Structures are given as structure tokens and as C-alpha cells.
Amino acid sequence: MSDTVSIYIHVPFCIKKCVYCDFYSDTQLSFIPEYLCSLEKEIGLRSKKQTDQRVDTIYFGGGTPSVLTIHQVETLLKTVQKNFSISPDAEITFEVNPGTIDEHYLAALKDIGITRLSLGIQSFNKEKLAFLQRIHSVRQGRDAVEYARKAGFDNISLDLMYGLPFETKELWHMDLTTALQMAPSHLSCYMLTIEPGTPLDEHQQNKKFKPICPDVLWDLFEKTSRTLETSGYEHYEISNFSRGKKNRSAHNSGYWNMKPYMGFGPAAHSYDNDIRSWNIRDVAGYICKLEAEHLPVEETEALTLDQKMLEMIMLRLRTLEGIDLEDFKRRFGITFESRFEQVIDQVCSASMGKIEKGTIEEPRFFLTLEGKTHLNSIVEAFSQRLVE
Ligand code: SF4
């Protein structure tokens, strides 16, 4: 059992829904005060069941955490600090939408103890922002980075999005170049995915646009990796880049390493000791449950050995290091090579993966850049092997 745990706090409110988004969030901001009371109650109730695991990362995600006032954020953070044992050097990340903040807000976040900002820039191009229906302008995106610097944050991550229907190499290159000029310590570059049930999905079905051709998309992915690596960023996870190991997202790395985490708020997931659970996906229902002093859990499942194996493969193949073969053997009592010999051979002979048995590092199996462009089908091949 890990002696540290991560905490995720969901702030499920947004000023307006972005057209592509399928995260759980609500635009009724009037729920916020009542919601925060319930959130504090959930934190209090669950901390009583907690052992003495130390919290080494806290992540305020959304939704849009930056719709909260500083006083509300500070009260929430104090509640977490009161109920859990927090490492003195804990990474405390806060997601910011550039359309909701000013210089004072970011300075105040720094003062109350936030250590890392994740700025939802998405693009520095007006047309791209309009297509995504973001609430902020190009100017506000640029300002957010400047304010973050002025506030004294060194650890700043920018979220960017590519693969819009009209995206060209030039357009994406401009976004990347603009971001690089700002020298953030971390970049998350996400491909636009059209999630079922979103307005974007509906627009696509009504033929309002034609999605980008997959070959162009993967070409952009490879170019992103090459451009950022040339600029000194490590491509440490399929969508994530950092200036060296120390600037990786410790919180998200915890997910990819299957470390325990506790998620608070509607739709938040938790994982510990092979048990996964998630909360109900509805603010009003969440508040009701907590008013009655009940935990707002929707479901709990115990992972089988095969599920754990697949989870590990799925998560670790996203990363630069891939699967630690010694760790696999320790966890599952069998070697990765003997369990998946055929699939490994196929992936390696197609130059999409490699087994590396270094003298300094643990032996590992990882995907090459080309392999990462086929991640889903490779994971599917491993999954098939498990059911055979
Ligand atoms: S701001 Fe973020 S969470 Fe809110 S709708 Fe847009 S993408 Fe979704």
C-alpha cells in the first residue's frame, strides 16, 4: 500500500459550456455556496475513514475552479489541510480559465498556498477559440500567463488544443510557437475529440463541419512531439510535456502510476487498494445526499487481476517510461513477457514498441512515438490477449 495519496477537488461549475466538453459541470453558479458546504461535509466524512496516508498532491479541477472567490478557495484549502496530513512540499494545482481572472486573483492564489497553475488557454488564435466556444479572448489568454508570472508562479502549465476541422500545420505551429515564447514549465497538448452527446457531436452529425483527416491529425501529433523535444521539453505522457522531470505534473503522474487518489465532488473518482469508486454525477443530488449525512457514492467496484493488468498497460503505455517489467512481476506474480509474448513481438517487430533492459534503469516495455499514434489498437491487442 502506498504511503501517500492524492486529492482531487471537483468544482463543477462553468460560466458557459464549451461546445466539445463532456466533463460534468453546471452553469447554475447560484448553487456554489450550498455546493461548497456539501463539499466540506464530504471531505470531513471521508477523512474520518482515512488512515494516516500523507497527501502529496492536491488538484482543484473542473469545471472552472476559478469561478470561486479567493475566500472560497482559501476556505476549501483550509478544510483539506484540517482534515488530512499534507506534505510540506505538496504540489497544489489550480485550474484557471483565462476569462475568469485578473492579476489580483492569481496573486492571491499564490498567497494562499497554490503552487502550480494549469491555464486553460487552448489557443492563441481567435477563430479556434470561437469554434471551441471558449469564453476568453486571445488577449485574456496572453494576460493570464503574464499575471501568473507576475504573481511569482514558476510552475505554470498551458493547455492547448489541436486538430480542429480547419486546423492546418501553420495554424498549430503558430500556437506552439506562441506558447514556447512564454517558456512555460509544462504544456498539455490535447487533440480535439468529438465526444458523443456533446453539441460538437451534433454539429458533426448535421454535417456542419467535416472532422480533420486522421492522417493529418497524427502528423500534427508527431510534429508536436518533435518541436517540443527540440525546444527542451520532455514528452513524458502522450499529451504532456515538461521542462525536465521536476516540472512533470506530480498529480497526474500519480494516476498514470496507479497511486491511490481521493476525488471529492460530483462525478469525482477515487482509487485505493484495488477498489475504484465514483460519486453521483449531479450537483443537486450530491447536495441532497450530503444533507442527509450520506456519502454521495454512485458505485464501487473491486478490480479483478485482469482489470488491474489492463489498467496498468493502458496507463503506462501512455508514458515515456512505459511498463516497468519488475514492477509488473511484483504486482502480478508473472512476467509481462511471458503473459503477452505474442503481442509484444508484433508491436516490437512493427517498430512500435521496445523492450529495454538497461543496466541503470529497471527493464521496461514502452511505445515508440509511432506506437503512441496506434495506442488504442495496441491496448486493444493486449486486452484481447487477456480474454483468450
Ligand atoms: S471551461 Fe472546461 S469544464 Fe467548462 S465547459 Fe469549457 S472545457 Fe468544459
Side-chain angles (χ1 to χ4, degrees):
M1 186 169 155
S2 170
D3 51 358
T4 56
V5 66
S6 296
I7 283 187
Y8 175 81
I9 310 266
H10 193 52
V11 182
F13 298 99
C14 292
I15 291 183
K16 185 179 144 233
K17 282 301 278 187
C18 304
V19 75
Y20 56 93
C21 179
D22 78 333
F23 292 126
Y24 175 64
S25 69
D26 200 301
T27 49
Q28 287 198 60
L29 304 194
S30 55
F31 272 131
I32 291 178
E34 213 181 333
Y35 171 66
L36 292 176
C37 291
S38 303
L39 190 54
E40 286 179 19
K41 206 177 256 182
E42 189 195 0
I43 294 169
L45 284 174
R46 289 179 60 191
S47 71
K48 292 199 183 88
K49 300 183 177 217
Q50 192 66 10
T51 57
D52 49 6
Q53 278 166 297
R54 259 199 175 199
V55 175
D56 59 352
T57 73
I58 302 173
Y59 194 103
F60 291 88
T64 309
S66 53
V67 295
L68 301 182
T69 64
I70 289 296
H71 177 67
Q72 288 169 331
V73 181
E74 189 176 18
T75 310
L76 249 182
L77 189 54
K78 281 188 176 152
T79 305
V80 175
Q81 286 160 338
K82 201 175 74 196
N83 284 281
F84 293 96
S85 150
I86 316 286
S87 300
D89 57 350
E91 175 192 272
I92 308 180
T93 305
F94 194 87
E95 284 184 351
V96 167
N97 183 320
T100 56
I101 52 101
D102 60 15
E103 194 172 342
H104 306 294
Y105 190 89
L106 296 195
L109 284 181
K110 181 90 172 94
D111 287 347
I112 63 170
I114 301 296
T115 64
R116 181 174 184 270
L117 290 183
S118 170
L119 305 177
I121 303 284
Q122 315 309 347
S123 178
F124 295 102
N125 175 279
K126 211 165 105 184
E127 281 74 34
K128 282 180 69 175
L129 289 180
F131 178 87
L132 298 170
Q133 298 188 9
R134 298 289 298 179
I135 58 163
H136 61 90
S137 64
V138 173
R139 182 63 205 251
Q140 284 172 309
R142 286 175 179 275
D143 286 349
V145 183
E146 197 191 314
Y147 299 156
R149 288 244 178 275
K150 266 195 183 170
F153 284 100
D154 309 314
N155 206 342
I156 301 171
S157 178
L158 309 188
D159 279 5
L160 296 177
M161 194 169 271
Y162 65 99
L164 277 62
F166 53 90
E167 188 102 50
T168 57
K169 272 185 216 162
E170 291 70 29
L171 213 50
W172 178 230
H173 187 72
M174 270 166 61
D175 264 341
L176 275 184
T177 315
T178 312
L180 285 173
Q181 282 162 358
M182 298 170 170
S185 53
H186 188 277
L187 277 159
S188 299
C189 299
Y190 298 110
M191 281 178 189
L192 174 68
T193 45
I194 300 177
E195 301 293 348
T198 57
L200 196 61
D201 180 36
E202 203 183 311
H203 297 336
Q204 186 189 355
Q205 285 178 27
N206 294 337
K207 312 247 175 301
K208 288 197 183 157
F209 66 86
K210 224 171 111 202
I212 191 165
C213 156
D215 287 348
V216 178
L217 190 60
W218 289 111
D219 194 31
L220 293 176
F221 170 78
E222 289 185 359
K223 285 217 161 51
T224 307
S225 179
R226 298 216 163 89
T227 308
L228 294 181
E229 284 193 344
T230 311
S231 304
Y233 289 81
E234 182 185 64
H235 189 179
Y236 76 100
E237 194 269 347
I238 201 153
S239 308
N240 288 284
F241 302 82
S242 69
R243 277 193 182 278
K245 228 172 181 166
K246 74 173 181 0
N247 287 314
R248 290 182 179 189
S249 160
H251 185 84
N252 290 334
S253 296
Y255 295 144
W256 303 318
N257 285 321
M258 298 178 78
K259 240 189 69 184
Y261 53 87
M262 302 181 79
F264 296 96
H269 283 59
S270 301
Y271 176 75
D272 193 13
N273 237 351
D274 305 332
I275 307 280
R276 184 161 44 202
S277 64
W278 54 96
N279 282 350
I280 47 180
R281 196 183 156 97
D282 168 48
V283 177
Y286 174 88
I287 293 172
C288 270
K289 279 271 183 192
L290 283 151
E291 264 172 7
E293 304 283 326
H294 292 310
L295 284 177
V297 180
E298 179 170 308
E299 223 169 304
T300 299
E301 67 172 353
L303 298 189
T304 63
L305 201 69
D306 282 359
Q307 278 176 317
K308 273 189 286 176
M309 250 186 220
L310 187 60
E311 187 98 347
M312 184 184 191
I313 292 167
M314 234 161 49
L315 294 168
R316 296 301 308 162
L317 289 188
R318 301 179 64 89
T319 67
L320 178 66
E321 285 80 11
I323 295 164
D324 176 333
L325 302 180
E326 291 298 323
D327 184 33
F328 188 94
K329 200 166 134 197
R330 249 189 324 268
R331 286 183 197 233
F332 302 112
I334 183 170
T335 66
F336 181 68
E337 297 97 310
S338 59
R339 184 71 178 87
F340 296 104
E341 191 183 354
Q342 251 181 328
V343 188
I344 296 169
D345 283 350
Q346 280 164 3
V347 174
C348 291
S349 57
S351 302
M352 293 201 188
K354 273 187 190 163
I355 292 216
E356 207 166 75
K357 295 196 165 153
T359 43
I360 303 168
E361 287 176 1
E362 299 284 349
R364 62 197 183 104
F365 171 75
F366 63 96
L367 295 187
T368 59
L369 188 58
E370 204 200 333
K372 291 209 175 83
T373 67
H374 292 83
L375 177 69
N376 290 347
S377 52
I378 292 174
V379 169
E380 182 52 36
F382 279 105
S383 160
Q384 278 304 320
R385 182 70 193 84
L386 278 173
V387 293
E388 275 165 13

